[in-house]
Amino acid sequence: MNRRSLLSGMAALVGLIGTAAATSAQTLGLEANLQDVWLAWRTANLDATGRVIDQFQRNSSHSEGQGYGLLLAATLGDQRAFERMETWTRLNLAIRSDNLMAWRWFPDEPVKVPDLNNASDGDLFRAWALLRAARRFNIPDYRQSAKLIVSDIVASCIARHPGGADHDPLLIPGAEGFRTEAGFIYNPCYAMPLAMTELATEFDVPILAQAARGAVELARTLAQDGVVPDWVEVTPSGVRAAEGFSFDAGYEAMRLPLYLIWSGLKDHPAVLRYAEAQERLGAGLVATVIDRETGRALSTSNDPGYRALSALADCTVRQSVGSQIPPFSSSSPYYPGTLQLFTMIAQIEASPMCIPI
């Protein structure tokens, strides 16, 4: 596949490339502004072996958490933490016959990895982190590792749309278990457009860029009818609720507006729908599960991590100068704490006008 075909496949995502190019110029600012936050996150969530611990999931570790932690360490320049996490990941999760990771590891079980299936978002973030680390720490082997992961993501986790050639391919949640008789199960927030575009550009992989575009456009279609849900089934006739999966916008889907903003897609309707749903609540509360049909909050939280994400979405939709992103709290559990640090990076990289005030 040549460079011309790659650029053709990425035409709708030109803004993402601009965001990626701007990232390196902001590195010093990120470190200066977020070093204390990173140290607090690292102390709270990373053990001495390099394992990112999810306290609310039986103290397990999973490919998502390792991918997220690796990206944070690469972005914020912590080479020692990156090496510890990557070593632990290779020894404990990268144990499949390909270059993808098993999705979860339990510390107190006799079989610590009971399921070898992967989770494509964890693999995507690890590949992105390795690419950034190769550049940041000048370690070419990391780039080669990222390339191998991308190759296996494309081989096992990119699905052609059952609706035909008029539709872009999509990133499915894992190599096994998500195909259906009609099509496949899809999670809109597993695709991170900026990560996919950066990797597609670096390794000349047009189909990954096309899948990024497909994710952006499918989220646009879903946002026409309300907040984008956690899970859907993609079929030849369209997208519908997936049997046995959440069709509300919950803890999974809240990542989508963050990823879109971070990818330079602040005007995407999915960001607007999320901000509108949050606006209905009183100050200090954030909807963590939102009914897709009514936009009503089904559960709420006052955790600063969730409040940070909501504040960034509100600021970008309003096109405000200054946001209500709260200070980082080291008492936040792994998931909201990670979302808050991502939110702070996204604000600096993609929404500088939303500086916390």
Side-chain angles (χ1 to χ4, degrees), residues 89-333:
T89 301
R90 287 200 316 270
L91 293 175
N92 294 279
L93 290 179
I95 56 176
R96 292 164 47 98
S97 60
D98 56 17
N99 293 284
L100 307 180
M101 293 178 283
W103 76 280
R104 186 159 62 169
W105 184 95
F106 290 106
D108 300 322
E109 297 291 333
V111 179
K112 297 190 184 304
V113 181
D115 183 0
L116 283 176
N117 200 18
N118 73 307
S120 57
D121 61 335
D123 294 309
L124 177 66
F125 270 82
R126 181 177 173 224
W128 192 26
L130 283 162
L131 177 59
R132 286 195 164 191
R135 296 167 175 168
R136 185 67 191 276
F137 307 135
N138 193 27
I139 301 178
D141 285 351
Y142 286 162
R143 183 184 183 278
Q144 180 62 21
S145 295
K147 184 177 182 179
L148 293 172
I149 294 168
V150 168
S151 178
D152 284 339
I153 289 173
V154 168
S156 300
C157 301
I158 300 291
R160 296 291 181 183
H161 196 292
D166 291 339
H167 300 274
D168 284 311
L170 292 166
L171 179 73
I172 58 175
E176 304 292 338
F178 295 98
R179 309 278 182 168
T180 66
E181 291 185 5
F184 51 81
I185 305 298
Y186 179 73
N187 187 314
C189 77
Y190 273 40
M192 202 304 189
L194 178 58
M196 296 166 76
T197 304
E198 223 176 287
L199 291 164
T201 303
E202 179 71 19
F203 299 120
D204 197 5
V205 186
I207 194 170
L208 189 60
Q210 293 159 11
R213 183 176 60 195
V216 170
E217 293 309 311
L218 183 56
R220 190 184 309 278
T221 298
L222 287 166
Q224 293 175 1
D225 299 319
V227 287
V228 176
D230 292 333
W231 296 89
V232 297
E233 183 180 11
V234 180
T235 74
S237 58
V239 182
R240 64 191 184 193
E243 185 176 354
F245 292 82
S246 165
F247 198 52
D248 295 319
Y251 292 93
E252 299 264 2
M254 66 172 57
R255 291 174 288 187
L256 180 62
L258 168 62
Y259 291 171
L260 291 169
I261 293 168
W262 198 352
S263 299
L265 299 169
K266 296 179 288 187
D267 296 331
H268 195 285
V271 180
L272 174 61
R273 294 297 190 191
Y274 178 80
E276 288 174 341
Q278 298 296 352
E279 191 177 11
R280 300 185 180 101
L281 293 178
L285 284 179
V286 174
T288 51
V289 181
I290 303 167
D291 184 275
R292 172 163 166 76
E293 294 184 357
T294 66
R296 181 172 59 89
L298 301 179
S299 71
T300 61
S301 173
N302 65 356
D303 189 284
Y306 301 135
R307 285 165 46 212
L309 197 161
S310 176
L312 180 63
D314 178 73
C315 174
T316 57
V317 165
R318 292 177 179 273
Q319 299 184 9
S320 305
V321 176
S323 70
Q324 298 301 313
I325 295 174
F328 183 83
S329 172
S330 59
S331 64
S332 288

Side-chain angles (χ1 to χ4, degrees), residues 35 38-39 42 46-51 66 69-70 72-88 90 133 136-137 139 142:
Q35 195 60 221
W38 161 245
L39 293 176
R42 192 182 70 185
L46 183 66
D47 77 2
T49 68
R51 184 169 82 87
Q66 295 303 122
L70 286 164
L72 290 172
T75 301
L76 296 169
D78 192 336
Q79 185 172 354
R80 290 183 64 187
F82 186 95
E83 290 171 349
R84 282 162 45 207
M85 280 186 276
E86 176 60 11
T87 298
W88 188 92
R90 287 200 316 270
R136 185 67 191 276
F137 307 135
I139 301 178
Y142 286 162

